Amino acid sequence: YAYHKAQSDLPYYLSSDLKPSWPLWVSKNDHTIPPFSLTNQKGEKIDQTFFTGHWTIVQFFFSRCQAVCPRITQNLQILLPLLKKDPQFQILSISLDPEYDTPDILSVYKPNKDISNWTYLTGPKKEIDELAHQGFFVDETLKVLVKGKGLMHTELIFIVDPQGHIRGMYDGQDKESIGQIIEDLEGQSHPSRT
């Protein structure tokens, strides 16, 4: 087994019970975001290597959402100065309505088009659902309806570390949570912490 010394300042979320832990060592067999292949707003393929070398803030959303998504996206814009200041930080917004949210739709939807480290993804619904469930443990019972179509949905924002481990979960509707994300990420900006 390959192990690396755990970073103790932020917890690890290594299982579907979503209990935070602060292990001394993390194994290559511990939970990481599984392989995936989706398409960004530019029509380019993106896979799990997207996380390598970056601290990534992950949001699940859909562009036609009238409930929580607009507020969460607006709150995420509070992070723009952090993204501009340090390119090791990035945002990944994954659509839960890929039949509607094509790359063309996402390129129009994307706020602040000059920010290169905010990426929107779409792709096969089955693959997105698997990524949400297996990668981020998004529970099936979290659903909202879009024109009579059930879509899983969560208000959570996740932080994924450069090795693909979930290191934080935050309420995306709460501006104080966004402040906590900034504080947590700024504590990771030293190269020895990645």
Side-chain angles (χ1 to χ4, degrees), residues 12-146:
Y12 286 80
Y13 294 86
L14 299 172
S15 64
S16 61
D17 65 10
L18 296 177
K19 290 184 180 174
S21 63
W22 288 265
L24 295 176
W25 296 93
V26 180
S27 158
K28 72 174 185 172
N29 294 325
D30 284 326
H31 178 76
T32 57
I33 304 305
F36 66 89
S37 179
L38 298 171
T39 305
N40 71 10
Q41 73 274 4
K42 297 176 184 176
E44 303 164 334
K45 289 294 183 188
I46 303 291
D47 62 21
Q48 68 281 357
T49 61
F50 182 82
F51 298 109
T52 305
H54 295 91
W55 286 86
T56 307
I57 301 111
V58 179
Q59 161 205 28
F60 289 92
F61 85 108
F62 52 99
S63 67
R64 296 187 289 176
C65 175
Q66 300 297 313
V68 299
C69 299
R71 179 178 295 145
I72 294 170
T73 299
Q74 182 178 24
N75 285 345
L76 284 173
Q77 291 186 52
I78 296 169
L79 299 171
L80 293 180
L82 181 67
L83 296 179
K84 289 178 180 177
K85 179 175 85 174
D86 193 335
Q88 79 163 324
F89 302 126
Q90 59 189 5
I91 297 176
L92 182 62
S93 296
I94 304 170
S95 174
L96 298 170
D97 187 12
E99 293 169 6
Y100 180 80
D101 287 337
T102 63
D104 288 340
I105 294 289
L106 295 180
S107 68
V108 171
Y109 179 82
K110 181 183 177 190
N112 299 299
K113 294 173 182 29
D114 61 324
I115 302 295
S116 63
N117 47 349
W118 188 338
T119 300
Y120 283 76
L121 293 183
T122 189
K125 178 129 177 68
K126 182 177 185 220
E127 187 161 356
I128 290 171
D129 288 349
E130 287 174 3
L131 178 60
H133 292 296
Q134 296 168 11
F136 293 90
F137 310 120
V138 174
D139 184 71
E140 261 182 42
T141 62
L142 298 172
K143 292 185 182 280
V144 294
L145 292 179
V146 175

Side-chain angles (χ1 to χ4, degrees), residues 131-191:
L131 178 60
H133 292 296
Q134 296 168 11
F136 293 90
F137 310 120
V138 174
D139 184 71
E140 261 182 42
T141 62
L142 298 172
K143 292 185 182 280
V144 294
L145 292 179
V146 175
K147 294 189 177 182
K149 181 177 178 183
L151 294 175
M152 82 180 141
H153 198 278
T154 181
E155 298 170 359
L156 292 176
I157 294 172
F158 301 89
I159 290 181
V160 177
D161 73 12
Q163 292 79 35
H165 299 287
I166 297 173
R167 300 298 299 280
M169 295 187 313
Y170 307 83
D171 179 351
Q173 293 196 87
D174 180 15
K175 283 188 179 178
E176 288 182 25
S177 288
I178 302 301
Q180 186 63 52
I181 290 172
I182 292 169
E183 185 177 317
D184 289 348
L185 288 178
E186 284 180 335
Q188 308 310 313
S189 64
H190 188 276

